[in-house]
Amino acid sequence: MSDIFDTQGIVVFKVGSSTLVDSDGGVDQDFVASLADQMARLRGEGYKPILVSSGAVAAGFAQLGLPSRPKDMPSLQACASAGQTALMQAYARAFGAHGLSVGQILLTRHDLADRQGYLNARNTFGRLLELGAVPIVNENDTVSVAEFAFGDNDMLGAIVATLVGASLYVILSDIDGLYTANPSQDPDARLIDHLEGITPQVEAMAGGSGSSVGTGGMRTKLRAGHIALAGQVPMVICKGRRANALVDAVAGRGPQTRIDPAPDSHYEGARKLWLISSERPQGSIVLDDGAVRAVLEEGASVLPVGVRRVEGDFAEQDLVDVRSLDGRLIGRGISRYSSEELTRCQGLRLDVIGRFSPQKANCPAVHRDDLVVF
């Protein structure tokens, strides 16, 4: 099968632990039935839903008789193993009631780091959708250590959305969307119903996680949004337990925050999307104001002369964040220098660098071909 398939009508939904799990720590069967009901309705309307589901650990620690979520990695992975079985059984029953099959896809970033693995995953999604099944996705938490510590299925959902060329990415949260302030603390907090792009001002509104069950907060949702928007996939954040939340999110009804790509943004090619989604950044390159303008307004590469600071410990060909002096995330790309080399070369022109390091004479810090600009 080709890696090209019909992406029309694909919608990726992400549901978090705090939404999926009941007060006793088990899988909320009624809520799972509601998810299946709504996705069956969407299938009947011609949409092709994909579900990115958290909740394996939360379901597993109750199933294994543990009083609360453990903290050590072996116990967490054991819970993920037991809980994943419970989750898939619940989904199979709920979707089966509508005559729909489900297919489980467990991923880690390492699975996608290899280009062929990335394409294989894409083809699997495509074939499942062609066969009329609903793909159910989660991180492979039983073997994924670094990714599991990151604990962010919001990002996984965004990666899946760009991987399959979705028309919409919906995060089912425990609140209605992004507010101007914390609504539990500020009675004047206002729900933001629509945004174009994610600006530093928008990121400043995001707080941390408010749930003892889940691991994500609004900040992680916006980080995920950078990936989705880079692939020109709009994102909706809404309350998952509101009646008909999935159907309304697709139709643009009800309280929600919809984030569309900025008018001046452009689609990043498949190779760049693969680069930024397959690995986690190992450090940051901080640019001066002139270099930021060159990257954003002139389509320039990141040159050592514009680098003001190097953060983290990374090797040549590692993925790095590119930031402004005030900490704003400008982009993400592949560094052509190690952190040690770039620290020595920061602020220098390429012709000067070439005098003491000839192999770097014409070498940008991050070439434009390897840079996704946010």
Side-chain angles (χ1 to χ4, degrees), residues 172-187:
L172 302 170
S173 183
D174 50 8
I175 59 173
D176 287 325
L178 177 65
Y179 284 80
T180 54
N182 188 332
S184 65
Q185 300 174 1
D186 186 346

Side-chain angles (χ1 to χ4, degrees), residues 239-366:
K239 191 169 186 176
R241 284 188 172 270
R242 187 173 54 80
N244 298 313
L246 282 70
V247 175
D248 286 350
V250 174
R253 295 189 298 260
Q256 60 177 256
T257 299
R258 180 182 172 106
I259 307 176
D260 285 306
D264 57 352
S265 67
H266 64 282
Y267 173 77
E268 295 288 3
R271 177 180 176 274
K272 287 189 178 183
L273 292 174
W274 165 61
L275 286 173
I276 65 169
S277 65
S278 62
E279 292 290 346
R280 196 183 301 112
Q282 300 300 306
S284 295
I285 297 174
V286 180
L287 306 183
D288 62 30
D289 293 342
V292 169
R293 285 194 298 272
V295 169
L296 293 181
E297 299 173 11
E298 302 170 19
S301 298
V302 176
L303 300 178
V305 68
V307 176
R308 288 285 298 274
R309 191 165 67 251
V310 178
E311 299 175 348
D313 183 11
F314 53 87
E316 183 178 344
Q317 297 300 313
D318 274 350
L319 186 70
V320 295
D321 283 339
V322 178
R323 296 186 177 274
S324 62
L325 285 170
D326 61 3
R328 179 162 54 111
L329 182 62
I330 302 301
R332 188 168 289 158
I334 304 299
S335 176
R336 298 197 175 185
Y337 291 70
S338 68
S339 53
E340 182 180 353
E341 290 173 326
L342 193 53
T343 298
R344 290 200 307 267
C345 297
Q346 68 183 51
L348 300 179
R349 299 193 313 272
L350 291 179
D351 60 333
V352 174
I353 294 171
R355 296 174 193 168
F356 62 86
S357 186
Q359 72 275 18
K360 299 291 186 184
N362 296 300
C363 186
V366 180

Side-chain angles (χ1 to χ4, degrees), residues 111-134:
D111 295 326
L112 303 178
D114 173 70
R115 178 63 176 166
Q116 191 58 52
Y118 182 91
L119 295 176
N120 289 344
R122 188 174 192 274
N123 288 343
T124 300
F125 279 109
R127 189 63 178 139
L128 282 170
L129 293 172
E130 287 176 351
L131 292 171
V134 177

Side-chain angles (χ1 to χ4, degrees), residues 47-84:
Y47 292 98
K48 292 175 280 192
I50 295 173
L51 180 62
V52 177
S53 176
S54 302
V57 173
F61 74 73
Q63 187 157 320
L64 293 176
L66 297 173
S68 61
R69 181 188 178 102
K71 299 185 184 302
D72 64 287
M73 189 59 64
S75 296
L76 285 168
Q77 292 176 318
C79 289
S81 177
Q84 195 64 48

Side-chain angles (χ1 to χ4, degrees), residues 1-222:
M1 175 183 171
S2 168
D3 71 309
I4 303 300
F5 57 88
D6 182 12
T7 62
Q8 186 69 31
I10 296 178
V11 181
V12 176
F13 297 93
K14 181 265 177 181
V15 60
S17 302
S18 58
T19 304
L20 183 66
V21 174
D22 62 25
S23 58
D24 296 324
V27 178
D28 189 328
Q29 303 293 338
D30 290 339
F31 179 69
V32 169
S34 174
L35 288 178
D37 290 345
Q38 293 181 72
M39 289 193 183
R41 286 173 57 187
L42 290 170
R43 282 293 302 270
E45 296 173 7
Y47 292 98
K48 292 175 280 192
I50 295 173
L51 180 62
V52 177
S53 176
S54 302
V57 173
F61 74 73
Q63 187 157 320
L64 293 176
L66 297 173
S68 61
R69 181 188 178 102
K71 299 185 184 302
D72 64 287
M73 189 59 64
S75 296
L76 285 168
Q77 292 176 318
C79 289
S81 177
Q84 195 64 48
T85 301
L87 275 180
M88 288 309 298
Q89 288 174 344
Y91 285 131
R93 283 194 301 269
F95 283 93
H98 297 276
L100 294 174
S101 298
V102 297
Q104 183 181 39
I105 299 179
L106 296 176
L107 294 172
T108 70
R109 287 180 187 259
H110 292 301
D111 295 326
L112 303 178
D114 173 70
R115 178 63 176 166
Q116 191 58 52
Y118 182 91
L119 295 176
N120 289 344
R122 188 174 192 274
N123 288 343
T124 300
F125 279 109
R127 189 63 178 139
L128 282 170
L129 293 172
E130 287 176 351
L131 292 171
V134 177
I136 310 290
V137 190
N138 199 352
E139 280 189 320
N140 192 359
D141 294 332
T142 59
V143 299
S144 173
V145 176
E147 292 80 7
F148 191 28
F150 189 53
D152 185 0
N153 268 8
D154 295 326
M155 184 65 75
L156 177 60
I159 290 169
V160 170
T162 59
L163 175 73
V164 301
S167 59
L168 185 66
Y169 173 39
V170 180
I171 297 180
L172 302 170
S173 183
D174 50 8
I175 59 173
D176 287 325
L178 177 65
Y179 284 80
T180 54
N182 188 332
S184 65
Q185 300 174 1
D186 186 346
D188 296 323
R190 178 179 56 84
L191 178 67
I192 301 171
D193 56 10
H194 183 248
L195 292 166
E196 290 185 338
I198 299 173
T199 65
Q201 292 75 22
V202 170
E203 290 180 322
M205 298 177 191
S209 173
S211 170
S212 61
V213 177
T215 54
M218 194 57 66
R219 195 166 296 164
T220 69
K221 292 171 176 54
L222 294 183

